[in-house]
Amino acid sequence: MENYVDISYGEETVPIGAEACVVEALKEEGFKYSQVNLMTSASGLDPSEICYDGCACIVLSCDDESCEETCHCLDKFGGNYVIVTSDDGTKKILLDIDDHVNGQPTPPIFECNSMCKCSDQCINREVQRGVKVPLFVFQCDDDGRGFGVRTLEPLHKGQFICEYAGDILDTSEAANRSSRQKFGDMNYVIGVREHTEEGSEVTFIDPQKRGNVGRFLNHSCDPNLIMIPVRCDSEIVRLALFARRNIEAQEELTFHYGGRPDEFKDNSCSKIQRKKCLCGSQNCEEFLPFDPSLFPHYANGN
């Protein structure tokens, strides 16, 4: 990526390249790169808090591949990843993505944490190791989509790509920030809902001013990435993006802004001027996903 700038400024293991026009635009916006989620006074939540007991496994090298079957983490939460060797001998750590793509009930993803004895080589630490594939941020060609991200190398189905990281918000602050958006503004607030036996939980992330490369990913109604909640140290989820299918080098990376393609299809909220979807896919839903919980005064008919 000669003559391009690393917009992560060394925060990521792999540089995040960008065109000069992107770098200048980010300076004007006052954007600050952050590899991880950040606590705000509005959330009162600390993503660095350690909430889980650690395992006592000793993993010294990739040859060990993972913790033992008796690992406390794996026994409590289940295994997540497998190592797959490509034809050229390259090893990839992959998630079994099919159940997530098909919308089937799946166990939550918990990785080994800071209290665990296993090393950074343990494969149950994939998301927390950060970006490992070369990504490039570019300016879209006057199509109204702003920036975009492409991969510089082929990606495998189930491969972790990056997080969608930024400010952690509670529902009230997420609604407040969304309500201040003008129609032509980019809206970066993403909410992901998790359904449990006790009910549902929602995590809101806003990377508009502080965030990582996930901020620049465009929406598609036929995306090649899927967002999956992952927990490491904290109860606060990390919104991890995995490849839904094999992806070619130089292909633009996209995900569905509703989290899953079947969320927020209701276009009946006529009091809100919905933004047109520009993804161009054959199954385009015409409008960008709309989360009514962020606009309660409209959703309640007021």
Side-chain angles (χ1 to χ4, degrees):
M1 294 187 291
E2 189 176 355
N3 298 325
Y4 293 107
V5 176
D6 173 16
I7 62 170
S8 79
Y9 295 99
E11 283 203 34
E12 302 285 5
T13 304
V14 177
I16 308 297
E19 298 172 331
C21 61
V22 174
V23 176
E24 290 303 314
L26 294 180
K27 287 181 180 179
E28 292 180 6
E29 294 176 15
F31 173 76
K32 302 295 184 183
Y33 196 97
S34 176
Q35 182 189 22
V36 297
N37 290 327
L38 298 164
M39 179 174 60
T40 65
S41 58
S43 70
L45 302 172
D46 185 356
S48 65
E49 180 183 1
I50 301 174
C51 301
Y52 308 111
D53 297 332
C55 67
C57 304
I58 303 298
V59 178
L60 299 178
S61 71
C62 288
D63 293 335
D64 294 329
E65 294 190 350
S66 183
C67 290
E68 301 170 359
E69 292 182 1
T70 56
C71 168
H72 168 75
C73 297
L74 298 181
D75 181 60
K76 186 175 182 180
F77 302 121
N80 303 311
Y81 311 110
V82 296
I83 291 182
V84 176
T85 303
S86 303
D87 293 338
D88 62 0
T90 303
K91 290 187 175 182
K92 299 287 185 183
I93 298 175
L94 305 178
L95 177 70
D96 185 357
I97 208 75
D98 285 336
D99 285 343
H100 297 277
V101 171
N102 296 330
Q104 300 298 318
T106 56
I109 295 179
F110 288 83
E111 295 191 349
C112 287
N113 61 63
S114 299
M115 298 299 291
C116 294
K117 298 293 185 181
C118 58
S119 75
D120 290 342
Q121 300 301 324
C122 172
I123 67 169
N124 197 36
R125 294 177 176 271
E126 180 67 353
V127 169
Q128 61 195 265
R129 280 194 286 261
V131 177
K132 295 190 295 183
V133 298
L135 304 176
F136 186 79
V137 181
F138 64 95
Q139 177 79 52
C140 297
D141 295 330
D142 298 325
D143 59 5
R145 297 187 304 141
F147 302 130
V149 180
R150 66 170 63 101
T151 175
L152 299 182
E153 67 179 31
L155 304 174
H156 293 259
K157 179 180 178 181
Q159 188 172 351
F160 170 65
I161 311 305
C162 67
E163 286 186 58
Y164 191 85
D167 288 342
I168 302 170
L169 310 177
D170 61 16
T171 302
S172 176
E173 178 61 16
N176 182 39
R177 293 193 184 189
S178 295
S179 66
R180 295 201 303 262
Q181 293 283 333
K182 298 177 182 177
F183 178 72
D185 294 342
M186 295 289 184
N187 181 23
Y188 296 96
V189 178
I190 292 287
V192 170
R193 283 169 175 76
E194 299 175 280
H195 299 283
T196 65
E197 293 180 357
E198 292 76 24
S200 62
E201 298 180 9
V202 60
T203 300
F204 290 104
I205 302 292
D206 180 10
Q208 181 175 8
K209 293 299 183 182
R210 305 186 298 179
N212 74 336
V213 65
R215 174 192 192 269
F216 307 102
L217 294 167
N218 275 314
H219 165 84
S220 176
C221 299
D222 185 21
N224 51 23
L225 305 182
I226 185 171
M227 180 177 282
I228 299 176
V230 175
R231 286 180 172 83
C232 302
D233 292 327
S234 172
E235 287 284 353
I236 301 170
V237 299
R238 299 169 75 154
L239 305 184
L241 290 150
F242 293 83
R244 298 178 79 239
R245 56 171 173 78
N246 291 337
I247 300 172
E248 298 295 330
Q250 300 300 325
E251 190 173 340
E252 182 178 357
L253 302 178
T254 59
F255 73 103
H256 194 282
Y257 284 1
R260 295 181 184 276
D262 58 354
E263 283 191 302
F264 308 132
K265 280 189 174 182
D266 184 10
N267 295 330
S268 62
C269 295
S270 57
K271 290 188 177 182
I272 290 191
Q273 189 176 6
R274 300 289 301 279
K275 289 186 178 180
K276 283 281 189 180
C277 179
L278 303 172
C279 74
S281 63
Q282 290 185 345
N283 62 332
C284 182
E285 298 165 7
E286 297 188 48
F287 297 98
L288 290 179
F290 168 70
D291 185 347
S293 70
L294 296 180
F295 301 89
H297 51 300
Y298 290 121
N300 294 332
N302 297 327

